[in-house]
Amino acid sequence: MPNKLKILLASPRGFCAGVDRAIDIVEKTLKKFGSPVYVRHEIVHNKQVVENLKKLGAIFVEELNEIKDNTRPVIFSAHGVPKSVPEEAENKKMFYIDATCPLVTKVHKESERHHRNGYQIILIGHKGHPEVIGTMGQLPKNSIKLIETESDANSLKADEFNKPMAYVTQTTLSVDDTKNIIKILKKKFPNIKSSIKEDICYATTNRQEAVKKIARDCNMFFVIGSENSSNSKRLVEVAKKSGCKDSELISDGQKVPIEKIKNCKVIGLSSGASAPEELVQNFILEIKKDIQVSVEEVITANEKVVFKLPKELN
Ligand code: SF4
C-alpha cells in the first residue's frame, strides 16, 4: 500500500437534534403502540434510516389517503406539514404524532405572526421541498411568495405588494447565498421585517462552517447524504465555493470512487444532518482497503442541542 492519504473529517457533521428526535419518535411510537406505525413522507431524508425503521414495523406513505388502517398511529416527518394534513387526520379521527423539527415549527410560527400583523411574507427556499410545502401551507394561498434565487429577489417589484413586507427562510439553505438574497430584499424593501431569530438552523450553519474551514486544503471533498437532502447538497456547494472544486455527494448505495481518491493527498469528508455516522465510517473503511490513511478530525463547534419528545410519548 504505497499511497498515504490524509482525511480531514469535518465536525460537526451528520445527525442534528431534529433528526435524532424524529427517529426517536418513530422508534418510541413503535415501542409504545406496537406495529405497524405509519409515517407520512421519509421521516428524514436518508434511505438507510427509512429501511431500518421499516424493519421495525414502520410503513411509509406520501399521503394520509394511502393508509390502509386508520386506527393505527401516523407520524408526520421532521420537515413539517401543511395545516391541511393534521386537519385531514382529525377529520378521519386518526391518532397522529408530529415529528416536525422544533426549528421548522419556529419558522411556521414566525410566518403566522407576520401574517396576523398584516405583512406580506417572502419565503426564501427551494420549490417542491417538503419543508417549503409545509411552511407555505401554514397560511392561506398567496399570503407567502416563494423566491429561490438572487434573480427572483431582483425581479420582485417594490409596488407588487400593497402591504408591509417580511421574510422567512427554509432552515437548510446555504448561509452565504441566503445572505446575498436578503441583501437584495433589504435594498428593495428597506422596512422588510425578519424573524426574531435566524431561520437557517444551528445544524446547517455549523456543518457549513466546518466544511468551509477545511475545503481549501483538500484535493477532493465528499459529503455523505441523500440526493433529496437539502442540507447535504448545500454542503457540496459550500465545499466547491470554499476552494475545493472537486466536491461530490456520495448518496445512498453509491460506491467509493477509489480510483479518483488514489490521486489525492488530502480529502475532506462530511455528512448531511440526516446521514448516519455509520455511513461515514464505512466510507473510511472502504478507502483503508486500498490506501494507507490518517484521519484528522477538525472540530469547529460543539453541539449540545437536544429537543424534547412530543407529549404523546412522555
Ligand atoms: S437540519 Fe436543522 S431544521 Fe432540519 S431537522 Fe436538523 S436541526 Fe431541525
Side-chain angles (χ1 to χ4, degrees):
M1 255 190 238
N3 316 42
K4 174 100 183 166
L5 174 77
K6 186 174 189 177
I7 300 180
L8 295 177
L9 195 50
S11 177
R13 64 179 177 279
F15 279 8
C16 59
V19 163
D20 264 332
R21 174 180 180 267
I23 296 170
D24 208 20
I25 287 174
V26 181
E27 289 174 352
K28 291 219 159 66
T29 307
L30 281 160
K31 219 173 227 172
K32 187 164 175 181
F33 300 99
S35 66
V37 158
Y38 289 91
V39 184
R40 185 189 176 278
H41 193 67
E42 289 189 348
I43 186 74
V44 300
H45 285 156
N46 185 271
K47 286 228 156 38
Q48 179 173 320
V49 170
V50 168
E51 288 309 316
N52 288 346
L53 292 172
K54 276 184 187 170
K55 283 180 203 145
L56 296 177
I59 299 175
F60 288 83
V61 295
E62 281 308 308
E63 294 299 341
L64 298 186
N65 60 19
E66 294 165 40
I67 294 176
K68 297 217 168 66
D69 181 356
N70 284 356
T71 64
R72 299 305 304 161
V74 56
I75 298 167
F76 304 149
S77 82
H79 315 95
V81 289
K83 278 221 161 92
S84 56
V85 173
E87 278 166 15
E88 185 186 345
E90 274 158 33
N91 287 340
K92 290 179 166 167
K93 304 205 172 1
M94 297 172 84
F95 171 59
Y96 66 86
I97 299 179
D98 190 356
T100 302
C101 174
L103 297 182
V104 174
T105 305
K106 177 193 104 45
V107 179
H108 292 179
K109 293 223 157 83
E110 291 280 1
S111 306
E112 286 184 292
R113 185 174 62 84
H114 290 315
H115 181 66
R116 260 198 321 275
N117 293 336
Y119 287 81
Q120 168 66 45
I121 300 160
I122 305 289
L123 167 63
I124 307 169
H126 295 292
K127 195 175 176 193
H129 189 279
E131 182 185 327
V132 164
I133 295 169
T135 301
M136 294 188 82
Q138 300 306 304
L139 294 172
K141 221 174 166 205
N142 299 331
S143 317
I144 303 186
K145 165 114 182 159
L146 175 67
I147 62 166
E148 299 188 77
T149 59
E150 289 182 34
S151 135
D152 289 347
N154 272 319
S155 50
L156 288 174
K157 297 203 175 60
D159 57 358
E160 191 171 338
F161 311 99
N162 209 7
K163 276 177 168 186
M165 311 278 289
Y167 72 84
V168 293
T169 83
Q170 195 178 329
T171 57
T172 51
L173 299 179
S174 150
V175 174
D176 292 336
D177 291 354
T178 309
K179 261 189 205 148
N180 293 337
I181 297 175
I182 291 171
K183 217 164 143 190
I184 296 168
L185 289 179
K186 285 190 170 162
K187 202 166 164 204
K188 264 201 151 139
F189 311 103
N191 296 323
I192 194 165
K193 278 241 185 290
S194 60
S195 298
I196 294 167
K197 243 183 123 201
E198 183 63 59
D199 294 328
I200 296 182
C201 75
Y202 79 96
T204 299
T205 309
N206 288 347
R207 278 151 193 69
Q208 289 180 15
E209 276 306 311
V211 167
K212 261 190 208 172
K213 169 108 182 166
I214 54 182
R216 73 179 78 91
D217 300 323
C218 301
N219 307 114
M220 288 191 80
F221 202 102
F222 298 97
V223 176
I224 313 282
S226 292
E227 286 287 351
N228 56 350
S229 159
S230 167
N231 77 85
S232 305
K233 288 200 287 194
R234 302 294 84 77
L235 291 179
V236 177
E237 292 167 6
V238 168
K240 285 184 180 169
K241 282 189 184 161
S242 309
C244 186
K245 287 208 171 59
D246 219 344
S247 298
E248 291 181 11
L249 185 73
I250 300 288
S251 58
D252 313 287
Q254 199 177 317
K255 280 209 171 121
V256 177
I258 200 73
E259 290 310 317
K260 288 189 197 169
I261 294 175
K262 275 181 182 165
N263 296 324
C264 300
K265 284 198 163 62
V266 184
I267 64 164
L269 185 56
S270 182
S271 51
S274 45
E277 179 61 13
E278 191 191 338
L279 299 179
V280 175
Q281 294 308 323
N282 287 346
F283 186 86
I284 296 174
L285 283 177
E286 272 307 305
I287 298 174
K288 280 183 173 169
K289 285 183 187 165
D290 289 285
I291 306 173
Q292 243 193 313
V293 162
S294 69
V295 180
E296 185 188 325
E297 187 157 44
V298 181
I299 303 170
T300 50
N302 285 306
E303 293 179 343
K304 296 195 173 70
V305 181
V306 180
F307 295 129
K308 276 197 297 195
L309 288 173
K311 58 181 183 326
E312 295 87 345
L313 295 173
N314 284 334

